[in-house]
Amino acid sequence: MRRDDSYEMYDYARNRIKQRKMLFFHLVVFVLGSILLFCFNGLVQDNTAPGYMQWWPYAVGAWALFLFLHAVNVLIVNRFMGKRWEEKQVKRLVEMQEKRIKELRTKVEKDFPLVDTKRDLEQTTPPVVSTPGTELEK
C-alpha cells in the first residue's frame, strides 16, 4: 500500500468520525432545545386565553425533520457516495469528455481537412513580380 493511499484512508476515516460526532452533537442539542421550547411555551403563554395553540410541537417537528435529514446524509448517503464512488464518477465523466472530444476532432478533420503545405507548395508556380516601368512578357 502506498503512503498516499494510507493517508487518504486516514483522512476519510477522520472525516467520517467528525460527521458522526456532529450528528450526535445535533441530537443532544435537539433534545435539550426541545425541552427548553416546551418550558418556554409553558412560561409565556396563557393556557386559558381564547385561541390558545401550542406552537412548540411545530417547532420541534421542523427541527426533527432537519435532524432526520442530517442523519440520512451522514449514515446513508455518505456511506454509499463516499470517496470510491466519487473517484468512479470522476473517471466516468473524464472518459465521456475524452470520447466527445475525439468525436468532435474527427468531425472537424472530416469537415475541414488540413492542407498539405509541402505538396501544395510544390504544385504552385512562383508569383510574377513586376516593377514599375517594365512590361510583362506574355
Side-chain angles (χ1 to χ4, degrees):
M1 183 184 293
R2 294 185 342 220
R3 184 180 177 114
D4 293 337
D5 290 340
S6 63
Y7 177 75
E8 285 181 18
M9 288 173 49
Y10 171 77
D11 192 42
Y12 176 74
R14 194 170 52 86
N15 286 335
R16 290 289 293 155
I17 290 171
K18 186 177 178 182
Q19 287 177 341
R20 289 183 182 189
K21 178 182 173 185
M22 291 307 296
L23 177 63
F24 183 71
F25 178 75
H26 191 179
L27 177 66
V28 170
V29 170
F30 169 73
V31 170
L32 294 176
S34 298
I35 293 170
L36 286 175
L37 286 174
F38 175 74
C39 294
F40 184 71
N41 182 59
L43 292 175
V44 297
Q45 276 199 323
D46 183 16
N47 295 349
T48 61
Y52 168 75
M53 185 178 90
Q54 290 187 349
W55 54 268
W56 68 270
Y58 299 107
V60 171
W63 195 353
L65 175 67
F66 289 121
L67 179 64
F68 174 74
L69 293 175
H70 188 178
V72 166
N73 183 31
V74 170
L75 300 176
I76 297 173
V77 174
N78 283 341
R79 177 174 292 171
F80 296 115
M81 295 183 180
K83 189 77 170 170
R84 283 191 211 123
W85 179 85
E86 186 177 319
E87 290 172 357
K88 185 178 177 181
Q89 294 300 315
V90 167
K91 183 179 177 183
R92 185 179 66 84
L93 289 175
V94 167
E95 288 173 356
M96 286 175 51
Q97 289 174 349
E98 288 174 348
K99 180 182 175 186
R100 181 69 178 145
I101 289 171
K102 186 177 179 182
E103 290 172 359
L104 290 174
R105 185 173 286 146
T106 56
K107 184 177 185 227
V108 167
E109 288 174 356
K110 180 183 173 192
D111 292 344
F112 305 102
L114 293 175
V115 178
D116 187 3
T117 55
K118 199 177 229 184
R119 179 196 65 191
D120 291 340
L121 286 176
E122 290 172 359
Q123 293 178 358
T124 60
T125 58
V128 178
V129 179
S130 67
T131 58
T134 61
E135 292 185 30
L136 293 176
E137 296 182 55
K138 292 186 182 185

